[in-house]
Amino acid sequence: MNTGLQLDDKMKKIFKPLHIALFLFGILFISACSKDDYYEDGGLAKAEFNGTILEYLESKPVLFDSLVQVIKLAGLENEFMTKEFTFFAPSDPDIKQLIGTIRTGGSLNTYLFNMGLDTIQKLSDIDSAIWRKNLLRYMFNGKNKLADYPQIDYSLMGTYPGQNYISQSGNVSNIGVVFNDIIQMSGTTEVSRLKYKGYRQLHLSYFPDASNPDVYVTYPVATSDIQPNNGIIHVLDYNKSFFGLYPGSQEMIEDIAQSKR
């Protein structure tokens, strides 16, 4: 009898920490599942969407309501519904920044007003061919997730150069993944650094002039690897981008101004 009791005591000692460990694991698992699927550092484990690229954009009107209108104005609705491609998506703040008001420095409407031309009151005031030309710069053939792109280090381009890709507009962009460092700080002093061991973030670098590869504009991706049925979406960081990819959207502004003359 005593032997049986001793055995029970031993089993309790074994199972008690096991139960605690399983309980803690369950809490961590539930907590992890409750977090957002992706983060602004570009990290995304999985974000499948049962619908087309256009339907995904339509499901996020806060970020993409104007973009969806532009896609339709550009005559690209069918492509976004049926074709397979990778889309580096600009978002509505980029479009609003482009158009601006007559008092917004550097905006399209300021430029048109100063030139004595009609300002833009609605998205359809811009020629559909101009919308199409600029949207195609964000569209690349094939389905490529972050893991499909090579590493890029802008301080060591000879070693980690990323790779050049031709968009559906025919323009050249370099696409690569920045492997960030893990840095341990003590106050304002760096204690240690683990090279390339931090989070990975996708970047799109646009060449305004393909014959001059030393001049490019780099745009970081805020959210990567969104997976609708017919492609991959990488959402650009609207705080650090210009619609049309050209610096300051200047090329697009001049094209619109020319169309108004």
Side-chain angles (χ1 to χ4, degrees):
M1 178 68 74
N2 290 337
T3 302
L5 288 173
Q6 290 172 359
L7 180 60
D8 287 343
D9 290 340
K10 289 180 180 179
M11 292 299 287
K12 288 177 181 178
K13 289 178 181 178
I14 292 172
F15 280 120
K16 188 172 181 181
L18 178 60
H19 288 164
I20 293 172
L22 289 173
F23 176 74
L24 291 175
F25 176 78
I27 292 174
L28 289 173
F29 179 79
I30 293 170
S31 175
C33 291
S34 69
K35 293 179 181 178
D36 292 338
D37 285 333
Y38 47 81
Y39 305 87
E40 286 216 345
D41 64 13
L44 175 64
K46 185 178 180 181
E48 295 180 355
F49 177 79
N50 186 23
T52 66
I53 295 176
L54 184 62
E55 288 170 337
Y56 175 81
L57 299 174
E58 289 175 330
S59 75
K60 307 291 182 184
V62 173
L63 270 181
F64 302 122
D65 181 62
S66 295
L67 177 62
V68 168
Q69 294 181 56
V70 167
I71 289 169
K72 294 176 180 179
L73 288 169
L76 291 170
E77 185 174 1
N78 183 63
E79 281 78 355
F80 278 78
M81 291 288 288
T82 63
K83 301 297 175 66
E84 183 176 284
F85 62 94
T86 298
F87 184 45
F88 283 79
S91 47
D92 285 10
D94 286 345
I95 298 173
K96 293 172 182 175
Q97 181 186 43
L98 161 71
I99 296 173
T101 70
I102 61 173
R103 292 179 294 275
T104 307
S107 72
L108 169 61
N109 273 335
T110 298
Y111 187 87
L112 294 175
F113 180 79
N114 290 337
M115 296 291 291
L117 301 171
D118 291 339
T119 57
I120 303 301
Q121 303 303 314
K122 54 186 182 299
L123 296 176
S124 58
D125 289 341
I126 296 174
D127 191 288
S128 61
I130 296 175
W131 284 128
R132 184 183 184 91
K133 168 186 173 181
N134 287 274
L135 270 179
L136 289 172
R137 292 177 177 175
Y138 297 93
M139 300 163 63
F140 296 82
N141 294 333
K143 296 170 68 173
N144 291 305
K145 296 189 289 185
L146 180 148
D148 298 317
Y149 291 107
Q151 182 178 355
I152 190 167
D153 185 331
Y154 291 102
S155 64
L156 292 171
M157 292 290 282
T159 306
Y160 300 110
Q163 185 173 329
N164 289 349
Y165 296 83
I166 299 176
S167 68
Q168 293 186 13
S169 67
N171 296 98
V172 179
S173 289
N174 180 287
I175 304 174
V177 181
V178 172
F179 288 37
N180 288 279
D181 300 340
I182 294 178
I183 303 173
Q184 182 180 356
M185 302 292 293
S186 176
T188 58
T189 304
E190 181 178 321
V191 176
S192 65
R193 177 185 294 262
L194 296 176
K195 191 71 172 173
Y196 301 141
K197 298 299 184 180
Y199 70 86
R200 300 180 181 186
Q201 186 175 23
L202 193 59
H203 286 68
L204 172 72
S205 296
Y206 176 73
F207 297 100
D209 181 358
S211 66
N212 187 2
D214 293 329
V215 177
Y216 52 85
V217 190
T218 298
Y219 302 104
V221 167
T223 304
S224 60
D225 289 9
I226 301 167
Q227 301 168 48
N229 296 336
N230 64 316
I232 304 293
I233 301 173
H234 305 295
V235 182
L236 296 175
D237 185 345
Y238 61 78
N239 292 307
K240 302 174 182 178
S241 61
F242 299 103
F243 192 84
L245 298 179
Y246 198 89
S249 304
Q250 192 58 41
E251 182 188 59
M252 187 174 179
I253 289 174
E254 291 175 358
D255 284 348
I256 295 169
Q258 186 62 37
S259 72
K260 296 291 182 182
R261 289 189 172 93

Tab-separated table of all heavy atoms in Angstrom, residues 15-67:
chain	number	residue	atom	x	y	z
A	15	PHE	N	3.728	15.108	-13.175
A	15	PHE	CA	2.672	15.702	-13.980
A	15	PHE	C	2.386	17.155	-13.641
A	15	PHE	O	1.963	17.928	-14.492
A	15	PHE	CB	1.376	14.889	-13.819
A	15	PHE	CG	1.346	13.647	-14.661
A	15	PHE	CD1	1.228	12.392	-14.087
A	15	PHE	CD2	1.464	13.738	-16.035
A	15	PHE	CE1	1.218	11.259	-14.871
A	15	PHE	CE2	1.459	12.613	-16.811
A	15	PHE	CZ	1.335	11.351	-16.233
A	16	LYS	N	2.631	17.540	-12.401
A	16	LYS	CA	2.337	18.927	-12.031
A	16	LYS	C	3.112	19.936	-12.862
A	16	LYS	O	2.520	20.845	-13.447
A	16	LYS	CB	2.591	19.120	-10.540
A	16	LYS	CG	2.119	20.483	-10.031
A	16	LYS	CD	2.208	20.567	-8.532
A	16	LYS	CE	1.703	21.916	-8.045
A	16	LYS	NZ	1.794	22.027	-6.583
A	17	PRO	N	4.456	19.826	-12.974
A	17	PRO	CA	5.164	20.785	-13.835
A	17	PRO	C	4.792	20.634	-15.295
A	17	PRO	O	4.805	21.594	-16.060
A	17	PRO	CB	6.643	20.445	-13.588
A	17	PRO	CG	6.643	19.070	-13.004
A	17	PRO	CD	5.366	18.941	-12.233
A	18	LEU	N	4.441	19.377	-15.711
A	18	LEU	CA	4.052	19.170	-17.098
A	18	LEU	C	2.760	19.924	-17.400
A	18	LEU	O	2.625	20.591	-18.431
A	18	LEU	CB	3.871	17.676	-17.378
A	18	LEU	CG	3.413	17.298	-18.795
A	18	LEU	CD1	4.438	17.798	-19.811
A	18	LEU	CD2	3.212	15.802	-18.905
A	19	HIS	N	1.791	19.837	-16.470
A	19	HIS	CA	0.534	20.553	-16.665
A	19	HIS	C	0.754	22.060	-16.722
A	19	HIS	O	0.142	22.768	-17.525
A	19	HIS	CB	-0.427	20.215	-15.512
A	19	HIS	CG	-0.963	18.808	-15.594
A	19	HIS	ND1	-1.577	18.178	-14.539
A	19	HIS	CD2	-0.962	17.921	-16.601
A	19	HIS	CE1	-1.931	16.958	-14.892
A	19	HIS	NE2	-1.563	16.773	-16.147
A	20	ILE	N	1.616	22.532	-15.833
A	20	ILE	CA	1.914	23.975	-15.827
A	20	ILE	C	2.535	24.407	-17.146
A	20	ILE	O	2.178	25.433	-17.726
A	20	ILE	CB	2.849	24.322	-14.653
A	20	ILE	CG1	2.115	24.106	-13.321
A	20	ILE	CG2	3.340	25.764	-14.753
A	20	ILE	CD1	3.012	24.227	-12.112
A	21	ALA	N	3.470	23.589	-17.638
A	21	ALA	CA	4.142	23.917	-18.902
A	21	ALA	C	3.146	23.949	-20.050
A	21	ALA	O	3.169	24.857	-20.898
A	21	ALA	CB	5.247	22.895	-19.177
A	22	LEU	N	2.240	22.937	-20.089
A	22	LEU	CA	1.244	22.906	-21.155
A	22	LEU	C	0.289	24.088	-21.053
A	22	LEU	O	-0.109	24.676	-22.060
A	22	LEU	CB	0.459	21.589	-21.086
A	22	LEU	CG	1.229	20.323	-21.492
A	22	LEU	CD1	0.397	19.082	-21.206
A	22	LEU	CD2	1.625	20.382	-22.960
A	23	PHE	N	-0.075	24.454	-19.818
A	23	PHE	CA	-0.958	25.593	-19.620
A	23	PHE	C	-0.331	26.892	-20.119
A	23	PHE	O	-0.944	27.677	-20.834
A	23	PHE	CB	-1.302	25.703	-18.136
A	23	PHE	CG	-2.143	26.911	-17.789
A	23	PHE	CD1	-3.490	26.960	-18.124
A	23	PHE	CD2	-1.575	28.007	-17.139
A	23	PHE	CE1	-4.252	28.066	-17.803
A	23	PHE	CE2	-2.336	29.104	-16.827
A	23	PHE	CZ	-3.684	29.129	-17.159
A	24	LEU	N	0.953	27.082	-19.774
A	24	LEU	CA	1.668	28.290	-20.207
A	24	LEU	C	1.824	28.315	-21.721
A	24	LEU	O	1.692	29.357	-22.355
A	24	LEU	CB	3.044	28.361	-19.533
A	24	LEU	CG	3.019	28.617	-18.021
A	24	LEU	CD1	4.431	28.534	-17.464
A	24	LEU	CD2	2.403	29.977	-17.713
A	25	PHE	N	2.098	27.134	-22.309
A	25	PHE	CA	2.226	27.060	-23.766
A	25	PHE	C	0.918	27.451	-24.434
A	25	PHE	O	0.892	28.156	-25.447
A	25	PHE	CB	2.636	25.650	-24.183
A	25	PHE	CG	2.690	25.462	-25.671
A	25	PHE	CD1	3.770	25.925	-26.407
A	25	PHE	CD2	1.647	24.841	-26.339
A	25	PHE	CE1	3.812	25.766	-27.781
A	25	PHE	CE2	1.679	24.676	-27.711
A	25	PHE	CZ	2.772	25.136	-28.431
A	26	GLY	N	-0.206	26.974	-23.837
A	26	GLY	CA	-1.510	27.302	-24.401
A	26	GLY	C	-1.772	28.792	-24.387
A	26	GLY	O	-2.302	29.349	-25.343
A	27	ILE	N	-1.401	29.451	-23.280
A	27	ILE	CA	-1.580	30.906	-23.188
A	27	ILE	C	-0.757	31.614	-24.258
A	27	ILE	O	-1.242	32.520	-24.933
A	27	ILE	CB	-1.184	31.409	-21.788
A	27	ILE	CG1	-2.183	30.896	-20.744
A	27	ILE	CG2	-1.127	32.932	-21.748
A	27	ILE	CD1	-1.798	31.229	-19.315
A	28	LEU	N	0.493	31.185	-24.425
A	28	LEU	CA	1.357	31.805	-25.427
A	28	LEU	C	0.806	31.584	-26.828
A	28	LEU	O	0.844	32.472	-27.679
A	28	LEU	CB	2.773	31.225	-25.327
A	28	LEU	CG	3.573	31.639	-24.086
A	28	LEU	CD1	4.882	30.856	-24.018
A	28	LEU	CD2	3.843	33.136	-24.092
A	29	PHE	N	0.277	30.387	-27.081
A	29	PHE	CA	-0.262	30.075	-28.414
A	29	PHE	C	-1.462	30.946	-28.734
A	29	PHE	O	-1.567	31.518	-29.814
A	29	PHE	CB	-0.641	28.596	-28.472
A	29	PHE	CG	-1.217	28.187	-29.799
A	29	PHE	CD1	-0.377	27.953	-30.882
A	29	PHE	CD2	-2.586	28.045	-29.968
A	29	PHE	CE1	-0.900	27.587	-32.110
A	29	PHE	CE2	-3.112	27.673	-31.182
A	29	PHE	CZ	-2.265	27.439	-32.264
A	30	ILE	N	-2.378	31.064	-27.743
A	30	ILE	CA	-3.567	31.898	-27.944
A	30	ILE	C	-3.172	33.349	-28.143
A	30	ILE	O	-3.687	34.062	-29.000
A	30	ILE	CB	-4.524	31.756	-26.751
A	30	ILE	CG1	-5.092	30.333	-26.706
A	30	ILE	CG2	-5.654	32.778	-26.824
A	30	ILE	CD1	-5.857	30.016	-25.434
A	31	SER	N	-2.198	33.811	-27.349
A	31	SER	CA	-1.726	35.192	-27.470
A	31	SER	C	-1.139	35.446	-28.834
A	31	SER	O	-1.395	36.470	-29.453
A	31	SER	CB	-0.680	35.475	-26.387
A	31	SER	OG	-0.131	36.759	-26.554
A	32	ALA	N	-0.341	34.489	-29.335
A	32	ALA	CA	0.285	34.650	-30.658
A	32	ALA	C	-0.765	34.696	-31.740
A	32	ALA	O	-0.677	35.480	-32.687
A	32	ALA	CB	1.266	33.504	-30.908
A	33	CYS	N	-1.805	33.858	-31.623
A	33	CYS	CA	-2.841	33.816	-32.643
A	33	CYS	C	-3.679	35.083	-32.653
A	33	CYS	O	-4.301	35.411	-33.648
A	33	CYS	CB	-3.760	32.608	-32.426
A	33	CYS	SG	-2.947	31.030	-32.756
A	34	SER	N	-3.720	35.804	-31.531
A	34	SER	CA	-4.540	37.003	-31.452
A	34	SER	C	-3.856	38.221	-32.038
A	34	SER	O	-4.467	39.249	-32.241
A	34	SER	CB	-4.909	37.277	-29.991
A	34	SER	OG	-3.759	37.661	-29.261
A	35	LYS	N	-2.570	38.101	-32.338
A	35	LYS	CA	-1.846	39.243	-32.889
A	35	LYS	C	-2.163	39.411	-34.364
A	35	LYS	O	-2.651	38.511	-35.031
A	35	LYS	CB	-0.337	39.034	-32.718
A	35	LYS	CG	0.109	39.057	-31.256
A	35	LYS	CD	1.615	38.831	-31.167
A	35	LYS	CE	2.094	38.832	-29.737
A	35	LYS	NZ	3.523	38.580	-29.627
A	36	ASP	N	-1.857	40.589	-34.915
A	36	ASP	CA	-2.011	40.818	-36.346
A	36	ASP	C	-1.116	39.873	-37.105
A	36	ASP	O	-0.056	39.483	-36.638
A	36	ASP	CB	-1.637	42.275	-36.708
A	36	ASP	CG	-2.627	43.258	-36.132
A	36	ASP	OD1	-3.767	42.861	-35.832
A	36	ASP	OD2	-2.240	44.428	-35.995
A	37	ASP	N	-1.544	39.522	-38.315
A	37	ASP	CA	-0.774	38.582	-39.132
A	37	ASP	C	0.517	39.197	-39.653
A	37	ASP	O	1.455	38.492	-39.994
A	37	ASP	CB	-1.607	38.108	-40.327
A	37	ASP	CG	-2.676	37.106	-39.896
A	37	ASP	OD1	-2.460	36.412	-38.881
A	37	ASP	OD2	-3.703	37.043	-40.564
A	38	TYR	N	0.550	40.511	-39.772
A	38	TYR	CA	1.741	41.116	-40.325
A	38	TYR	C	2.027	42.450	-39.647
A	38	TYR	O	1.178	43.017	-38.980
A	38	TYR	CB	1.618	41.313	-41.841
A	38	TYR	CG	0.316	41.934	-42.287
A	38	TYR	CD1	0.114	43.302	-42.218
A	38	TYR	CD2	-0.711	41.143	-42.784
A	38	TYR	CE1	-1.062	43.867	-42.634
A	38	TYR	CE2	-1.910	41.710	-43.194
A	38	TYR	CZ	-2.076	43.059	-43.125
A	38	TYR	OH	-3.258	43.628	-43.546
A	39	TYR	N	3.244	42.927	-39.833
A	39	TYR	CA	3.700	44.105	-39.120
A	39	TYR	C	4.374	45.071	-40.084
A	39	TYR	O	4.729	44.718	-41.188
A	39	TYR	CB	4.703	43.695	-38.031
A	39	TYR	CG	4.146	42.652	-37.096
A	39	TYR	CD1	4.255	41.300	-37.411
A	39	TYR	CD2	3.504	43.012	-35.929
A	39	TYR	CE1	3.729	40.327	-36.564
A	39	TYR	CE2	2.983	42.048	-35.089
A	39	TYR	CZ	3.100	40.707	-35.409
A	39	TYR	OH	2.578	39.767	-34.582
A	40	GLU	N	4.574	46.292	-39.644
A	40	GLU	CA	5.160	47.305	-40.515
A	40	GLU	C	6.623	47.043	-40.825
A	40	GLU	O	7.176	47.652	-41.723
A	40	GLU	CB	5.008	48.689	-39.896
A	40	GLU	CG	3.603	49.220	-39.981
A	40	GLU	CD	3.578	50.716	-40.223
A	40	GLU	OE1	4.613	51.371	-40.047
A	40	GLU	OE2	2.515	51.205	-40.598
A	41	ASP	N	7.265	46.117	-40.098
A	41	ASP	CA	8.648	45.818	-40.433
A	41	ASP	C	8.741	44.877	-41.624
A	41	ASP	O	9.826	44.470	-42.009
A	41	ASP	CB	9.399	45.237	-39.231
A	41	ASP	CG	8.851	43.891	-38.768
A	41	ASP	OD1	8.060	43.284	-39.507
A	41	ASP	OD2	9.242	43.448	-37.672
A	42	GLY	N	7.604	44.542	-42.215
A	42	GLY	CA	7.613	43.696	-43.400
A	42	GLY	C	7.507	42.227	-43.081
A	42	GLY	O	7.474	41.402	-43.984
A	43	GLY	N	7.438	41.841	-41.808
A	43	GLY	CA	7.372	40.439	-41.454
A	43	GLY	C	5.969	39.890	-41.629
A	43	GLY	O	5.016	40.435	-41.104
A	44	LEU	N	5.835	38.803	-42.359
A	44	LEU	CA	4.533	38.207	-42.587
A	44	LEU	C	4.692	36.720	-42.748
A	44	LEU	O	5.361	36.252	-43.647
A	44	LEU	CB	3.893	38.804	-43.844
A	44	LEU	CG	2.562	38.190	-44.276
A	44	LEU	CD1	1.514	38.428	-43.212
A	44	LEU	CD2	2.104	38.780	-45.592
A	45	ALA	N	4.097	35.945	-41.842
A	45	ALA	CA	4.216	34.498	-41.931
A	45	ALA	C	3.258	33.940	-42.972
A	45	ALA	O	3.631	33.132	-43.807
A	45	ALA	CB	3.929	33.879	-40.565
A	46	LYS	N	1.998	34.366	-42.937
A	46	LYS	CA	0.997	33.832	-43.848
A	46	LYS	C	-0.180	34.776	-43.882
A	46	LYS	O	-0.693	35.173	-42.859
A	46	LYS	CB	0.571	32.440	-43.396
A	46	LYS	CG	-0.386	31.737	-44.342
A	46	LYS	CD	-0.696	30.350	-43.825
A	46	LYS	CE	-1.647	29.615	-44.758
A	46	LYS	NZ	-1.984	28.261	-44.255
A	47	ALA	N	-0.661	35.126	-45.067
A	47	ALA	CA	-1.823	36.004	-45.179
A	47	ALA	C	-2.572	35.650	-46.450
A	47	ALA	O	-2.605	36.418	-47.396
A	47	ALA	CB	-1.405	37.461	-45.175
A	48	GLU	N	-3.151	34.472	-46.479
A	48	GLU	CA	-3.899	34.031	-47.650
A	48	GLU	C	-5.256	34.723	-47.678
A	48	GLU	O	-5.886	34.945	-46.639
A	48	GLU	CB	-4.053	32.518	-47.624
A	48	GLU	CG	-2.731	31.777	-47.753
A	48	GLU	CD	-2.907	30.268	-47.730
A	48	GLU	OE1	-4.051	29.811	-47.513
A	48	GLU	OE2	-1.896	29.564	-47.914
A	49	PHE	N	-5.704	35.063	-48.892
A	49	PHE	CA	-6.997	35.726	-49.067
A	49	PHE	C	-7.755	34.994	-50.159
A	49	PHE	O	-7.247	34.832	-51.280
A	49	PHE	CB	-6.794	37.197	-49.439
A	49	PHE	CG	-8.080	37.935	-49.702
A	49	PHE	CD1	-8.862	38.390	-48.649
A	49	PHE	CD2	-8.517	38.164	-51.000
A	49	PHE	CE1	-10.049	39.060	-48.879
A	49	PHE	CE2	-9.702	38.838	-51.250
A	49	PHE	CZ	-10.471	39.288	-50.187
A	50	ASN	N	-8.949	34.562	-49.848
A	50	ASN	CA	-9.751	33.809	-50.810
A	50	ASN	C	-10.508	34.768	-51.713
A	50	ASN	O	-11.681	35.063	-51.512
A	50	ASN	CB	-10.728	32.882	-50.076
A	50	ASN	CG	-11.484	31.972	-51.048
A	50	ASN	OD1	-11.011	31.724	-52.158
A	50	ASN	ND2	-12.642	31.487	-50.629
A	51	GLY	N	-9.794	35.276	-52.690
A	51	GLY	CA	-10.362	36.225	-53.637
A	51	GLY	C	-9.254	36.741	-54.533
A	51	GLY	O	-8.093	36.359	-54.398
A	52	THR	N	-9.600	37.624	-55.456
A	52	THR	CA	-8.624	38.163	-56.389
A	52	THR	C	-7.860	39.329	-55.766
A	52	THR	O	-8.204	39.807	-54.670
A	52	THR	CB	-9.317	38.653	-57.667
A	52	THR	OG1	-10.157	39.774	-57.328
A	52	THR	CG2	-10.176	37.560	-58.289
A	53	ILE	N	-6.836	39.799	-56.480
A	53	ILE	CA	-6.091	40.970	-56.016
A	53	ILE	C	-7.034	42.161	-55.858
A	53	ILE	O	-6.990	42.871	-54.847
A	53	ILE	CB	-4.951	41.316	-56.996
A	53	ILE	CG1	-3.915	40.187	-57.024
A	53	ILE	CG2	-4.288	42.634	-56.610
A	53	ILE	CD1	-2.807	40.391	-58.040
A	54	LEU	N	-7.910	42.376	-56.846
A	54	LEU	CA	-8.830	43.506	-56.768
A	54	LEU	C	-9.784	43.353	-55.589
A	54	LEU	O	-10.050	44.329	-54.869
A	54	LEU	CB	-9.620	43.636	-58.071
A	54	LEU	CG	-10.550	44.852	-58.153
A	54	LEU	CD1	-9.744	46.147	-58.066
A	54	LEU	CD2	-11.382	44.833	-59.423
A	55	GLU	N	-10.272	42.148	-55.362
A	55	GLU	CA	-11.195	41.932	-54.249
A	55	GLU	C	-10.519	42.164	-52.903
A	55	GLU	O	-11.144	42.667	-51.961
A	55	GLU	CB	-11.778	40.517	-54.331
A	55	GLU	CG	-12.784	40.364	-55.461
A	55	GLU	CD	-13.175	38.921	-55.713
A	55	GLU	OE1	-12.390	38.001	-55.351
A	55	GLU	OE2	-14.258	38.708	-56.289
A	56	TYR	N	-9.240	41.807	-52.806
A	56	TYR	CA	-8.521	42.101	-51.568
A	56	TYR	C	-8.449	43.610	-51.342
A	56	TYR	O	-8.714	44.093	-50.239
A	56	TYR	CB	-7.109	41.518	-51.594
A	56	TYR	CG	-6.333	41.929	-50.353
A	56	TYR	CD1	-6.501	41.251	-49.157
A	56	TYR	CD2	-5.481	43.042	-50.371
A	56	TYR	CE1	-5.834	41.654	-47.999
A	56	TYR	CE2	-4.817	43.448	-49.223
A	56	TYR	CZ	-4.996	42.749	-48.044
A	56	TYR	OH	-4.354	43.172	-46.911
A	57	LEU	N	-8.088	44.350	-52.378
A	57	LEU	CA	-7.983	45.806	-52.250
A	57	LEU	C	-9.335	46.418	-51.889
A	57	LEU	O	-9.419	47.339	-51.071
A	57	LEU	CB	-7.450	46.413	-53.546
A	57	LEU	CG	-6.042	45.954	-53.979
A	57	LEU	CD1	-5.703	46.508	-55.352
A	57	LEU	CD2	-4.983	46.364	-52.962
A	58	GLU	N	-10.393	45.892	-52.490
A	58	GLU	CA	-11.737	46.389	-52.188
A	58	GLU	C	-12.137	46.089	-50.744
A	58	GLU	O	-12.951	46.820	-50.163
A	58	GLU	CB	-12.751	45.761	-53.147
A	58	GLU	CG	-12.645	46.285	-54.570
A	58	GLU	CD	-13.573	45.573	-55.531
A	58	GLU	OE1	-13.867	44.377	-55.313
A	58	GLU	OE2	-14.003	46.209	-56.522
A	59	SER	N	-11.557	45.043	-50.171
A	59	SER	CA	-11.896	44.671	-48.791
A	59	SER	C	-11.204	45.564	-47.763
A	59	SER	O	-11.493	45.462	-46.565
A	59	SER	CB	-11.523	43.204	-48.540
A	59	SER	OG	-10.113	43.038	-48.401
A	60	LYS	N	-10.289	46.435	-48.222
A	60	LYS	CA	-9.548	47.334	-47.331
A	60	LYS	C	-9.732	48.787	-47.783
A	60	LYS	O	-8.793	49.453	-48.218
A	60	LYS	CB	-8.052	46.985	-47.340
A	60	LYS	CG	-7.732	45.521	-47.053
A	60	LYS	CD	-8.039	45.149	-45.624
A	60	LYS	CE	-7.661	43.697	-45.346
A	60	LYS	NZ	-8.041	43.269	-43.977
A	61	PRO	N	-10.974	49.311	-47.710
A	61	PRO	CA	-11.246	50.648	-48.262
A	61	PRO	C	-10.486	51.776	-47.584
A	61	PRO	O	-10.245	52.813	-48.212
A	61	PRO	CB	-12.761	50.798	-48.074
A	61	PRO	CG	-13.108	49.860	-46.960
A	61	PRO	CD	-12.173	48.706	-47.108
A	62	VAL	N	-10.120	51.619	-46.328
A	62	VAL	CA	-9.399	52.695	-45.639
A	62	VAL	C	-8.068	52.972	-46.334
A	62	VAL	O	-7.657	54.128	-46.484
A	62	VAL	CB	-9.167	52.335	-44.159
A	62	VAL	CG1	-8.268	53.364	-43.491
A	62	VAL	CG2	-10.495	52.236	-43.425
A	63	LEU	N	-7.400	51.923	-46.779
A	63	LEU	CA	-6.093	52.080	-47.433
A	63	LEU	C	-6.189	52.152	-48.950
A	63	LEU	O	-5.324	52.764	-49.590
A	63	LEU	CB	-5.174	50.917	-47.059
A	63	LEU	CG	-4.297	51.054	-45.824
A	63	LEU	CD1	-3.442	49.817	-45.635
A	63	LEU	CD2	-3.422	52.295	-45.885
A	64	PHE	N	-7.227	51.531	-49.555
A	64	PHE	CA	-7.179	51.326	-51.003
A	64	PHE	C	-8.416	51.782	-51.769
A	64	PHE	O	-8.567	51.437	-52.939
A	64	PHE	CB	-6.939	49.837	-51.294
A	64	PHE	CG	-5.680	49.285	-50.691
A	64	PHE	CD1	-5.732	48.214	-49.807
A	64	PHE	CD2	-4.437	49.825	-51.000
A	64	PHE	CE1	-4.569	47.684	-49.245
A	64	PHE	CE2	-3.275	49.318	-50.447
A	64	PHE	CZ	-3.346	48.243	-49.562
A	65	ASP	N	-9.293	52.558	-51.162
A	65	ASP	CA	-10.506	52.972	-51.861
A	65	ASP	C	-10.177	53.757	-53.134
A	65	ASP	O	-10.708	53.485	-54.212
A	65	ASP	CB	-11.385	53.810	-50.932
A	65	ASP	CG	-12.681	54.239	-51.609
A	65	ASP	OD1	-13.469	53.357	-51.972
A	65	ASP	OD2	-12.900	55.457	-51.779
A	66	SER	N	-9.292	54.742	-53.028
A	66	SER	CA	-8.917	55.538	-54.204
A	66	SER	C	-8.132	54.697	-55.203
A	66	SER	O	-8.296	54.845	-56.423
A	66	SER	CB	-8.087	56.755	-53.790
A	66	SER	OG	-8.861	57.635	-53.002
A	67	LEU	N	-7.277	53.814	-54.713
A	67	LEU	CA	-6.504	52.950	-55.599
A	67	LEU	C	-7.417	52.073	-56.446
A	67	LEU	O	-7.180	51.894	-57.649
A	67	LEU	CB	-5.546	52.083	-54.789
A	67	LEU	CG	-4.708	51.071	-55.588
A	67	LEU	CD1	-3.796	51.790	-56.581
A	67	LEU	CD2	-3.887	50.193	-54.654
